[in-house]
Amino acid sequence: MNKRFIRQRNAEIRAAQMTRHQIDMDALALCLNDPEVMGPKNTMGAERIARLLEAVHKQSEELVSIANNDPERDYLVARLDRKLKEIMGDQFAPFEVRYEGLVKPLKKI
C-alpha cells in the first residue's frame, strides 16, 4: 500500500471516530435534558450540560490510549477498572467485557 492511501484511510477512520463521538455527545445532551430519563426535577439545562460534555470530552481523550498500543495501557486499564468498580459496585463489568473487541491487557495491576 502506498503512503497516500494509508494517510487517506487514517483520515477516514479519524473522521468516523469524531462523528461517533459527536453523536454520543448529542445523545447524552438529549438524555440529560429528558424528564423521562432524568426525572421531572433532575433534568439539566444548557450550562450544566455544557460543563458535563466538556468533562466527558476531556475524559474520553484521556481514555483513548486504552484502545491503542500505548506503553501505559495496562496501568490505565487497571486504574479505569478500579474506579468503575468503586462507582458501579455489583453492576461493574470488567474491561474484557466492556471492550471485548480489544486485545486484553497483559497483566492485572
Side-chain angles (χ1 to χ4, degrees), residues 31-99:
C31 289
L32 291 170
N33 190 255
D34 186 342
E36 289 186 26
V37 175
M38 300 294 292
K41 296 182 180 181
N42 294 320
T43 60
M44 292 186 181
E47 196 173 306
R48 287 180 67 201
I49 290 173
R51 279 197 319 266
L52 181 83
L53 294 179
E54 177 70 27
V56 168
H57 178 73
K58 181 180 175 189
Q59 195 69 229
S60 294
E61 291 296 317
E62 292 175 11
L63 291 174
V64 75
S65 60
I66 65 169
N68 301 328
N69 196 14
D70 188 280
E72 295 186 6
R73 179 177 182 258
D74 289 349
Y75 168 76
L76 295 171
V77 168
R79 191 179 78 183
L80 174 63
D81 269 1
R82 276 195 301 271
K83 185 65 177 172
L84 287 176
K85 190 170 188 171
E86 286 176 25
I87 295 166
M88 300 303 294
D90 292 342
Q91 295 179 13
F92 169 74
F95 176 85
E96 292 83 2
V97 173
R98 296 189 322 272
Y99 296 92

